[in-house]
């Protein structure tokens, strides 16, 4: 299977910046998309940004113009650069990848979540 490990996050003042990173371990055959979600206390998990293997990018309206999603050429790591942070950006952030991984039986589908990392925007 494929496991995702996130890094980054922490406490930042309003207007500040923070970067998140997500790397995978496992025998990946191909990636369909790499996404970032967030879940604030008492709210549903929501997609924040996604990038596909064809380099299509989508952002939620709430972060458009402030957040940037990017991956390396080999799609081994996905990053989320968060600028102009607001208190309402406070949440646990999760990366989510979908694609195929190698097995003895051939490529099989995977959907994997990271463990989550806390982002707190507060003065």
């Amino acid at each position: 299977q494929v496991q995702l490990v996130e890094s980054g996050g922490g406490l930042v003042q309003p207007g500040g910046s923070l970067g998140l990173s997500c790397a995978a371990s496992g025998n990946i055959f191909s990636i369909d998309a790499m996404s970032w979600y967030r879940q604030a206390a008492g709210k549903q998990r929501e997609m924040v940004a996604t990038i596909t293997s064809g380099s299509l990018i989508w952002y939620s309206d709430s972060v458009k113009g402030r957040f940037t999603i990017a991956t390396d050429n080999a799609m081994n790591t996905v990053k989320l650069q968060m600028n102009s942070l607001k208190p309402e950006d406070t949440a646990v952030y999760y990366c989510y990848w979908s694609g195929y991984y190698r097995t003895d039986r051939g490529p099989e589908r995977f959907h994997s979540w990271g463990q989550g990392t806390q982002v707190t925007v507060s003065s």
Side-chain angles (χ1 to χ4, degrees):
Q1 269 286 8
V2 176
Q3 293 186 327
L4 304 180
V5 178
E6 300 171 17
S7 59
L11 174 64
V12 64
Q13 292 188 342
S17 298
L18 214 54
L20 305 179
S21 184
C22 176
S25 62
N27 202 355
I28 294 176
F29 177 75
S30 67
I31 299 289
D32 292 340
M34 308 157 90
S35 305
W36 287 96
Y37 285 72
R38 67 185 180 187
Q39 187 167 20
K43 295 189 176 182
Q44 287 189 330
R45 192 172 297 189
E46 62 173 352
M47 182 184 287
V48 172
T50 192
I51 183 167
T52 71
S53 58
S55 299
L56 295 175
I57 293 175
W58 175 89
Y59 296 102
S60 70
D61 287 343
S62 60
V63 307
K64 198 175 297 183
R66 300 187 297 120
F67 290 12
T68 303
I69 188 170
T71 182
D72 58 8
N73 289 337
M75 297 197 83
N76 292 323
T77 304
V78 63
K79 297 182 184 292
L80 185 69
Q81 178 63 36
M82 304 180 291
N83 298 328
S84 303
L85 282 161
K86 306 175 181 179
E88 51 263 43
D89 294 318
T90 296
V92 178
Y93 285 69
Y94 300 88
C95 60
Y96 171 79
W97 295 19
S98 62
Y100 291 85
Y101 69 103
R102 293 182 177 88
T103 75
D104 293 340
R105 300 173 298 280
E108 292 193 359
R109 197 125 182 90
F110 77 90
H111 303 268
S112 297
W113 289 91
Q115 79 280 9
T117 185
Q118 178 70 46
V119 171
T120 302
V121 184
S122 175
S123 55

